[in-house]
């Protein structure tokens, strides 16, 4: 059973471009979480999704950031008009249920905005 | 709101030394508590967890006890190895949140020298 797959592992974007980060959860997992890790910081929760639904987006910046988890295919974190401050590692985690289960993390996508 | 405070690193130890990484928390209610480990270039892996007061989580020689009186969940290992070099994160789910939606400490980087 493959783990949580994130791609790309590394992404370089120029200021003003769009960044698309993909996350394929573990097989059988219907809950996906996105986190951002700034340099020298811990992980900060961004958004929690189930298939076709955003459950909790309390950690998402109000502008330029969006996330989806369609019925088919991976979850996508989209950052429009990237700025240097968006440079960070973005981690995805998945779990089979909401509560009382471990969430499994992917290896992350390291976004660099130049 | 809920929060996690970890001792700042980096921590540098010689092989076979005793390790303690302090973690204290502020929380509504009595959430589960977690330690995650992040090896270089990797995502986070759950190291151990405790679900209620006085529970002791353990894995790979690491232990942590859920102390309600001192609101602490310190990580310990009796004899560290070079392969334990990593960043360690203490975490808890916010009140009413799922276990995939976690509040993380800033992380403590451990370097073990041969």
């Amino acid at each position: 059973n493959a783990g949580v797959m994130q791609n790309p592992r590394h992404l370089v974007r120029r200021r003003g471009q769009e960044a698309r980060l993909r996350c394929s959860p573990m097989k059988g997992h219907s809950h996906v979480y996105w986190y951002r890790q700034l340099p020298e910081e811990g992980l900060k929760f961004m958004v929690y999704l189930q298939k076709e639904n955003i459950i909790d987006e309390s950690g998402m910046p109000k502008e330029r950031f969006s996330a989806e988890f369609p019925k088919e295919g991976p979850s996508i974190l989209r950052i429009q008009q990237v700025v240097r401050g968006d440079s960070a590692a973005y981690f995805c985690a998945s779990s089979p249920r909401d509560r009382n289960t471990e969430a499994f993390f992917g290896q992350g996508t390291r976004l660099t905005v130049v | 709101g809920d929060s996690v405070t970890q001792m700042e690193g980096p921590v540098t130890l010689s092989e076979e030394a005793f390790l303690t990484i302090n973690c204290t928390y502020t929380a509504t209610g009595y959430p589960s508590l977690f330690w995650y480990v992040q090896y270089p270039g990797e995502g986070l892996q759950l190291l151990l967890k405790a679900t209620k007061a006085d529970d002791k989580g353990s894995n790979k020689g690491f232990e942590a006890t859920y102390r309600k009186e001192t609101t602490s969940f310190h990580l310990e290992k009796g004899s560290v190895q070079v392969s334990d070099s990593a960043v360690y994160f203490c975490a808890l789910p916010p009140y009413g949140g799922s276990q995939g939606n976690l509040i993380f400490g800033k992380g403590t980087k451990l370097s073990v020298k041969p």
Side-chain angles (χ1 to χ4, degrees), chain A residues 9 33 35 37 40-45 48 56 91 98-108 110, chain B residues 32 34 36 38 41-46 49 87 89 96-107:
Chain A
R9 291 290 307 274
Y33 308 83
Y35 288 81
Q37 183 179 32
E40 308 301 323
E41 294 284 328
L43 278 73
K44 300 293 186 187
F45 167 77
Y48 163 33
D56 179 356
F91 288 94
D98 177 14
R99 297 182 184 278
N100 300 316
T101 57
E102 176 187 352
F104 294 82
F105 282 79
Q107 292 184 305
R110 279 155 181 83
Chain B
S32 296
F34 303 86
Y36 279 81
Q38 184 180 27
E42 301 292 325
L44 275 71
Q45 302 173 24
L46 178 64
K49 70 177 183 181
V87 182
F89 294 93
S98 69
Q99 289 193 175
N101 171 0
L102 294 169
I103 296 172
F104 285 89
K106 289 190 174 184

Side-chain angles (χ1 to χ4, degrees), chain A residues 47-88:
Chain A
V47 62
Y48 163 33
L49 309 106
Q50 293 179 25
K51 286 284 187 181
E52 300 184 280
N53 286 305
I54 296 174
I55 307 302
D56 179 356
E57 56 182 347
S58 58
M60 286 278 271
K62 293 288 184 273
E63 297 177 347
R64 302 188 297 108
F65 284 73
S66 62
E68 63 177 9
F69 188 17
K71 187 176 180 181
E72 302 291 338
S75 176
I76 306 288
L77 179 67
R78 182 180 176 207
I79 311 171
Q80 295 178 292
Q81 299 176 319
V82 296
V83 300
R84 289 234 172 97
D86 296 333
S87 296

Side-chain angles (χ1 to χ4, degrees), chain B:
Chain B
D2 296 358
S3 66
V4 175
T5 302
Q6 284 182 239
M7 64 184 283
E8 292 196 14
V11 174
T12 303
L13 296 173
S14 298
E15 207 165 21
E16 299 184 2
F18 184 85
L19 168 71
T20 300
I21 299 178
N22 291 338
C23 171
T24 56
Y25 65 89
T26 302
T28 303
Y30 302 104
S32 296
L33 300 173
F34 303 86
W35 277 101
Y36 279 81
V37 58
Q38 184 180 27
Y39 297 103
E42 301 292 325
L44 275 71
Q45 302 173 24
L46 178 64
L47 180 61
L48 55 83
K49 70 177 183 181
T51 57
K52 60 184 188 295
D54 299 325
D55 262 6
K56 177 185 284 188
S58 60
N59 185 27
K60 299 182 181 180
F62 290 89
E63 293 182 339
T65 301
Y66 190 164
R67 301 284 188 202
K68 185 177 65 174
E69 310 80 26
T70 54
T71 61
S72 65
F73 192 54
H74 304 323
L75 182 68
E76 296 182 336
K77 187 174 185 182
S79 176
V80 294
Q81 306 300 312
V82 172
S83 57
D84 294 326
S85 298
V87 182
Y88 293 81
F89 294 93
C90 186
L92 58 79
Y95 183 70
S98 69
Q99 289 193 175
N101 171 0
L102 294 169
I103 296 172
F104 285 89
K106 289 190 174 184
T108 303
K109 184 175 182 179
L110 170 66
S111 295
V112 180
K113 307 296 183 187

